[in-house]
Amino acid sequence: MHSSSLPAHEEIEQFRRDWMEGTRYGEVKGYDGPPDPGPGPPPDPPEATGKVR
């Protein structure tokens, strides 16, 4: 994971792909419907602000 406490933009994109493909997260037993697509990634990677945490 990225050195800060938040995941990098690329990691967020991979998490979403894994969710949509059903490769990382388990299925909800008893749910009879299509998978929830969840939120999309931000349009662009966030820009550095120069602030240090």
Side-chain angles (χ1 to χ4, degrees), residues 19-39:
W19 171 264
M20 297 302 293
E21 295 167 2
T23 58
R24 181 184 292 247
Y25 308 99
E27 83 178 66
V28 177
K29 303 284 186 205
Y31 177 70
D32 186 26
D36 182 354

Side-chain angles (χ1 to χ4, degrees), residues 1 3-6 8 11 14-15 17 20-21 24-26 28 30-31 34 38-39 41-42 46 50-52:
M1 190 189 269
S3 62
S4 75
S5 61
L6 299 175
E11 290 173 313
Q14 184 63 54
F15 297 153
R17 277 192 301 274
M20 297 302 293
E21 295 167 2
R24 181 184 292 247
Y25 308 99
V28 177
Y31 177 70
K51 294 180 181 178
V52 178

